[in-house]
Amino acid sequence: MSMVEQFDARSCVLLRLGDRRFALAAEQIAELVAPSRVFRFAHRTTEIDGVILRRGRVVPVCDVAEKLTGKKLTSRRFYLVATQKRGASLDWVALPVSGECELITADLTPAGESDSPHVAAWLSHDGEVIEVLNLDALTPVSGDRAILTQGGSPEAHA
Amino acid sequence: MDTLAGSPMEIDEPTLPKVRHMFRRGEQNLYVVNGAVHFGLRPSPASLILLLRRSRTALLIDGIEKMTTMTRLQALPAAFCHEERVWYRGLTVLDQNVIPAVSPEGFLTADELFLLDALVSRMVVTETAAASGMGLGL
C-alpha cells in the first residue's frame, strides 16, 4: 500500500457551500455561529469580506465558496469559525457556510500530488467522496513577501 | 485641525494623486493626503485637514465623528495581507463597532516624501525665478 492509499480515521466537520459538501478537520474548528454583523473597512485583501466580533475577538470573514465552487454564496446560514496555526500564533477565520454542519468520524485518504493545494485529504461519507480542506491554501496569508509597498496593486504582487 | 480655506500650495505629481496640497509649518513641508483616495474610497468633498502628530502628513477628511480613548488595540488579523498592514496599527472596538486605527507613517513612504520634497523645491525655485524676472522687468 502506498502512502497515498493509507487510511487514517479522523474527526471532521462537514460543511455545505451551495450544493456541495466539504470537510475540515474537527481540531481546526472553534465554533459554529449564526451570522452576525460584518464590520467593513478599507483594505485590499479581496478574499476578506470584513470582520465579525466574537467573544471580544476580531475574526476576519473569508468566503471560500467562490474558490471552491465557482459561485459566491447567496445565503449565509452560519459562520464556521476555524483556527489556523501560523508560526507561534493561532489565527481565527470565519467561513460563511450555507447549511448546517455535521461532525463525523471518517477514514481519510491523503491527497495526492495531482490534487489541488486546497485538498488536504479525501473522505467518503454517505456514498459521496468529499474533499477535506487545507485552509492554509484557501485563506490569504500575511508575510513579508505579501505585504505590498504603498501604491502597488495586489494583483501586481501576487 | 485646519481647513483647506487657507493658502496651501497646490501640488501636481501624477504618480501621487492622493497628494494635492502642501503647506509649511515651521521648517517642515506638510503634505495633505486625501484620505478617500489613499484608502480607495469614493471621492468626497472633504475640506477638513487633520494634522497628525510627529508626522509630515496631514489628512484630508470629511469630518470628525467623535474623539475618544482606545483601551485596547488588537493586531490586524494575519489574513489581511496587503497594504492595509501598512495603513493600520490595528483594530479597536468602540461601542460594539470595529474601528481600524490608522498608522500616521502609513500614508506616505520615505520615497514618496523624498519625491514630494524634490517637487516642492523645484516649484519654489521656479516661483522665485519668476518673481525675480518680474522684478527686473519693472
Side-chain angles (χ1 to χ4, degrees):
Chain A
M1 183 179 276
S2 73
M3 284 295 285
V4 176
E5 289 163 333
Q6 284 176 7
F7 295 100
D8 178 20
R10 293 269 294 273
S11 289
C12 290
V13 172
L14 294 184
L15 55 124
R16 184 169 287 282
L17 299 173
D19 53 7
R20 284 187 62 188
R21 285 202 295 183
F22 297 89
L24 265 174
E27 71 228 21
Q28 284 187 280
I29 306 301
E31 56 184 338
L32 182 68
V33 298
S36 55
R37 182 176 167 193
V38 178
F39 298 94
R40 293 183 170 89
F41 50 84
H43 66 83
R44 294 273 166 85
T45 308
T46 51
E47 298 93 330
I48 302 292
D49 220 14
V51 296
I52 57 170
L53 261 181
R54 199 65 204 148
R55 302 173 202 271
R57 184 192 292 262
V58 175
V59 182
V61 177
C62 184
D63 189 347
V64 295
E66 199 170 7
K67 267 189 189 171
L68 293 172
T69 67
K71 290 182 222 159
K72 284 208 164 200
L73 281 191
T74 48
S75 71
R76 295 178 173 190
R77 290 194 59 195
F78 299 100
Y79 288 128
L80 191 62
V81 180
T83 56
Q84 286 176 280
K85 206 163 177 24
R86 283 176 172 160
S89 68
L90 196 66
D91 284 347
W92 290 35
V93 63
L95 309 172
V97 295
S98 53
E100 294 201 13
C101 297
E102 188 184 344
L103 179 65
I104 61 160
T105 301
D107 289 332
L108 303 193
T109 306
E113 282 179 8
S114 59
D115 290 324
S116 301
H118 74 262
V119 181
W122 298 89
L123 64 81
S124 181
H125 181 73
D126 279 349
E128 193 181 346
V129 177
I130 296 171
E131 295 174 357
V132 181
L133 300 176
N134 169 16
L135 263 191
D136 292 343
L138 286 169
T139 56
V141 180
S142 95
D144 290 339
R145 286 192 323 130
I147 298 170
L148 302 182
T149 53
Q150 290 179 68
S153 69
E155 290 77 17
H157 293 254
Chain B
M1 181 63 63
D2 207 334
T3 71
L4 275 181
S7 52
M9 185 189 282
E10 286 199 17
I11 287 182
D12 184 16
E13 171 52 54
T15 61
L16 271 179
K18 65 184 176 183
V19 181
R20 283 277 171 262
H21 300 90
M22 66 78 62
F23 54 92
R24 283 193 70 77
R25 179 137 312 186
E27 290 298 304
Q28 284 195 319
N29 295 338
L30 294 188
Y31 298 102
V32 181
V33 173
N34 185 313
V37 177
H38 174 76
F39 291 117
L41 306 173
R42 207 173 296 153
S44 58
S47 60
L48 279 179
I49 298 173
L50 196 61
L51 302 181
L52 304 179
R53 196 182 290 171
R54 291 191 287 274
S55 164
R56 294 181 55 201
T57 302
L59 192 58
L60 188 61
I61 56 170
D62 295 2
I64 290 180
E65 208 166 287
K66 70 172 167 184
M67 277 183 79
T68 190
T69 306
M70 283 189 289
T71 52
R72 188 175 169 214
L73 189 66
Q74 297 190 33
L76 194 67
F80 289 97
C81 57
H82 291 292
E83 288 147 285
E84 58 271 11
R85 299 208 72 80
V86 179
W87 294 348
Y88 303 129
R89 289 171 57 202
L91 303 173
T92 191
V93 180
L94 296 172
D95 303 330
Q96 287 300 300
N97 282 303
V98 179
I99 312 284
V102 297
S103 169
E105 296 81 27
F107 290 101
L108 290 170
T109 63
D111 286 349
E112 288 168 340
L113 284 168
F114 183 79
L115 177 75
L116 289 166
D117 282 341
L119 176 73
V120 170
S121 297
R122 285 198 303 274
M123 287 166 66
V124 169
V125 168
T126 308
E127 278 179 18
T128 308
S132 307
M134 282 171 68
L136 286 171
L138 286 173

